[in-house]
Amino acid sequence: MDVQRNSPTASPKKKPATLQHLFEIDSKNKPISTLAKHLSSAENEEILSSISFCTDIFTFTDPRESPSRRDLKRVKLSELLSTIKSKKPLNKQILAPLMSMLSTNLFRPLPPPSNLFNITPDLPDDEDQVSSFSPSWSHLQVVYDILLRLVISTDPEILREHVDHHFLLNLLSLFQSEDPRERENLKNIYHRIYLRFTFYRSFMRKSMNNVFLHYIFETERHCGVGELLEIWGTIINGFTVPLKEEHKLFLMRVLIPLHKTKGMQSFHRQLAYCVSQFVQKEPVLGGVVVRGILRYWPVTNYQKEVMLIGELEELVDNLDPDQYRKLALPMCTQITICLNSWNSLVAERALYVWNNEQFVMMASLVVEEVFPIIVEGVEKNLKWHWSKSVRQLTENVKAMLEEMDPIFYSECLEEIDLRESRAHQEKIKRKERWEIIEMAAARNQFLQPQHCICPPLEKHV
């Protein structure tokens, strides 16, 4: 139902802090001119006093903490944020202790994971999400807002002394936080630093790659993979073609192996977007991506299978048509295996792929190779599958295939019948041979006398 824009009852909604929103903020908040008036000495003294007070850390779990002092700290942080939002630049006398205060509040030891076996649950309950929220978020939220405002409004060369490699690594380590609100703020700040601090871009890319590689090959435990992939999605979008070798290696060594991880369901949407960006920029890479996904295809995880089927279908639309002949057979083989799955969700998702015109066109280019496999899978579904909806969808696919090439479809059916007949005859012959062997063994055992093997006598000294 459409909502009237001029409705008096409609309440204004706060614009979400997305990356696009941050781009708009950046266009409105250019670095402040050096000609602007600096803060007065009295204001400096007050700010330094507030900064000193805000270095006190409250856990919100210790009963000995004073609630009034915690509330006062939030007020002081809000005042600092208001001061930074004013169009008066901060001098080095204030900037250094301010960055030190931010580091003290942000760079803290994170609590142990609430779920020791799976740090990134597939479908977390609301109670699990609430339990993972940081109790000190009322302070951290303002601290993150202050840091974001500094990154947006301060000249990168001025902040370079404080936002160094060590600071960036500490910031990156906070992506392991289980609080989604904190990871969202980290994502916006880290991406903003990448956008404005151009001299750190190479280091930041390598640092994020190290996090991915550590996750893939060692721990498979990290909460912020999805947020880091969102940052990478905007980075890949800005790559120029032809792509550099460094970026292609990132696709092959990081993005494709991410498909095999246990927690892939929690960040598959961001991962698929990054991969599709590469294929859109250079369609030739589609073959590398498709073969990589097929290599890491799950065996028993039906949720991952459904996601990967959808990703393959999207990749077909961006593939280079010259690669259709090379990729049609492996793709159709995997899709046929999936449509024969006993899990109805996997089978139905695989059958829906045949509604994609590009996929059908790819299969039609190599009919001689793929039709025998597809026809056998379709007939097997119609004969054996337990799900009525899967059988109905299979009937629709069969009708489409018969319409595509009715003569060859009939030949494939004859070949299947002939192969089944040969297999049946071979089974009968094998059974007869075993019966002959068993009868001969029984006869031989009956004719030969039983021999008793006695152990050798022990020698006594």
Side-chain angles (χ1 to χ4, degrees):
M1 182 181 295
D2 295 334
V3 179
Q4 296 179 359
R5 297 186 177 180
N6 297 327
S7 174
T9 59
S11 59
K13 293 184 178 180
K14 185 179 180 181
K15 196 168 186 179
T18 60
L19 294 179
Q20 180 63 34
H21 179 49
L22 291 177
F23 284 131
E24 296 173 0
I25 294 176
D26 188 50
S27 62
K28 300 176 182 177
N29 296 275
K30 298 298 181 182
I32 301 170
S33 172
T34 57
L35 297 178
K37 288 185 178 181
H38 286 275
L39 296 169
S40 64
S41 58
E43 290 175 320
N44 287 345
E45 291 290 340
E46 184 179 354
I47 292 174
L48 289 172
S49 175
S50 298
I51 292 174
S52 177
F53 181 83
C54 292
T55 54
D56 293 340
I57 305 301
F58 297 96
T59 63
F60 286 76
T61 57
D62 189 347
R64 294 172 296 178
E65 294 177 354
S66 171
S68 60
R69 288 183 62 84
R70 290 189 308 214
D71 295 339
L72 181 59
K73 179 180 177 180
R74 177 171 174 78
V75 172
K76 295 287 187 182
L77 286 171
S78 301
E79 290 176 353
L80 287 174
L81 179 60
S82 301
T83 302
I84 295 172
K85 285 183 177 180
S86 65
K87 302 302 182 180
K88 295 180 181 180
L90 302 176
N91 54 35
K92 293 183 178 180
Q93 182 183 1
I94 293 179
L95 192 58
L98 178 61
M99 292 299 300
S100 177
M101 182 273 292
L102 296 178
S103 300
T104 302
N105 280 271
L106 293 177
F107 304 144
R108 69 214 186 273
L110 296 174
S114 58
N115 190 340
L116 296 176
F117 299 100
N118 186 10
I119 195 71
T120 53
D122 301 336
L123 295 173
D125 298 330
D126 293 339
E127 294 181 0
D128 295 336
Q129 287 184 337
V130 172
S131 65
S132 65
F133 285 170
S134 174
S136 59
W137 180 246
S138 59
H139 290 173
L140 288 174
Q141 182 179 19
V142 188
V143 172
Y144 276 115
D145 290 342
I146 293 173
L147 179 57
L148 177 60
R149 181 59 56 178
L150 282 175
V151 172
I152 290 175
S153 60
T154 309
D155 188 354
E157 290 296 335
I158 297 176
L159 276 182
R160 188 172 189 172
E161 182 181 350
H162 308 284
V163 181
D164 53 8
H165 287 185
H166 183 67
F167 184 92
L168 292 173
L169 290 176
N170 285 334
L171 207 62
L172 194 60
S173 67
L174 292 176
F175 276 95
Q176 299 184 67
S177 170
E178 291 189 351
D179 194 331
R181 302 168 301 181
E182 182 169 14
R183 297 198 304 269
E184 183 69 19
N185 280 268
L186 283 166
K187 177 189 69 175
N188 295 334
I189 292 173
Y190 202 79
H191 184 269
R192 182 60 59 185
I193 294 174
Y194 184 90
L195 180 68
R196 302 199 64 215
F197 292 64
T198 55
F199 40 82
Y200 285 151
R201 287 184 177 180
S202 178
F203 174 79
M204 295 175 73
R205 289 198 301 269
K206 291 179 182 178
S207 300
M208 287 189 286
N209 287 358
N210 290 337
V211 172
F212 289 137
L213 294 172
H214 186 71
Y215 170 76
I216 295 168
F217 298 107
E218 293 187 12
T219 63
E220 289 195 350
R221 294 167 56 85
H222 201 288
C223 289
V225 175
E227 286 78 10
L228 292 175
L229 285 173
E230 285 189 40
I231 297 174
W232 262 106
T234 59
I235 294 174
I236 297 169
N237 193 30
F239 286 164
T240 57
V241 290
L243 295 172
K244 296 180 180 179
E245 192 66 22
E246 170 199 349
H247 305 325
K248 294 180 183 179
L249 289 175
F250 171 71
L251 170 66
M252 292 182 286
R253 295 179 179 178
V254 177
L255 291 184
I256 293 178
L258 274 173
H259 287 81
K260 73 173 184 177
T261 56
K262 295 178 181 178
M264 188 205 71
Q265 296 96 307
S266 62
F267 54 79
H268 179 258
R269 177 178 59 83
Q270 296 91 332
L271 177 61
Y273 177 77
C274 290
V275 171
S276 65
Q277 287 288 305
F278 272 104
V279 179
Q280 288 176 18
K281 287 184 177 293
E282 286 196 9
V284 179
L285 295 173
V288 177
V289 172
V290 170
R291 292 187 181 91
I293 293 176
L294 294 178
R295 182 167 66 250
Y296 296 124
W297 200 270
V299 179
T300 58
N301 193 327
Y302 76 93
Q303 294 175 326
K304 290 178 69 174
E305 282 194 277
V306 171
M307 291 179 176
L308 293 182
I309 292 171
E311 186 174 356
L312 284 181
E313 184 179 358
E314 293 179 2
L315 286 172
V316 171
D317 297 332
N318 298 319
L319 285 177
D320 186 354
D322 295 337
Q323 296 188 334
Y324 278 177
R325 293 185 177 276
K326 298 179 181 179
L327 300 176
L329 182 59
M331 287 186 69
C332 290
T333 301
Q334 187 61 59
I335 294 299
T336 303
I337 294 173
C338 291
L339 67 87
N340 287 143
S341 172
W342 287 110
N343 187 289
S344 60
L345 294 178
V346 176
E348 289 176 8
R349 186 64 187 87
L351 289 165
Y352 280 126
V353 173
W354 289 99
N355 292 331
N356 188 304
E357 296 181 0
Q358 291 293 115
F359 186 85
V360 174
M361 184 179 71
M362 179 181 68
S364 63
L365 294 177
V366 285
V367 171
E368 297 80 4
E369 298 179 10
V370 302
F371 245 55
I373 299 172
I374 300 169
V375 171
E376 183 177 4
V378 167
E379 295 299 323
K380 187 184 297 184
N381 260 16
L382 294 176
K383 186 180 297 184
W384 302 109
H385 207 285
W386 64 271
S387 173
K388 182 178 179 181
S389 61
V390 170
R391 291 198 302 271
Q392 290 176 345
L393 291 172
T394 306
E395 286 282 1
N396 298 335
V397 174
K398 178 180 179 179
M400 182 195 66
L401 295 175
E402 287 180 329
E403 184 179 355
M404 187 185 301
D405 195 335
I407 298 177
F408 192 43
Y409 195 97
S410 301
E411 293 176 357
C412 291
L413 285 179
E414 294 175 0
E415 181 65 27
I416 292 172
D417 293 339
L418 181 61
R419 188 163 59 248
E420 289 179 352
S421 177
R422 290 174 180 173
H424 182 67
Q425 293 296 328
E426 184 64 29
K427 183 178 180 181
I428 294 175
K429 291 179 181 179
R430 189 184 304 111
K431 184 178 180 181
E432 292 175 350
R433 287 195 294 267
W434 274 112
E435 290 176 352
I436 294 173
I437 292 173
E438 290 173 355
M439 291 175 59
R443 191 183 311 111
N444 191 31
Q445 184 179 10
F446 177 76
L447 294 176
Q448 289 186 357
Q450 297 291 331
H451 295 282
C452 181
I453 302 176
C454 298
L457 296 175
E458 296 182 358
K459 295 181 179 181
H460 297 281
V461 177

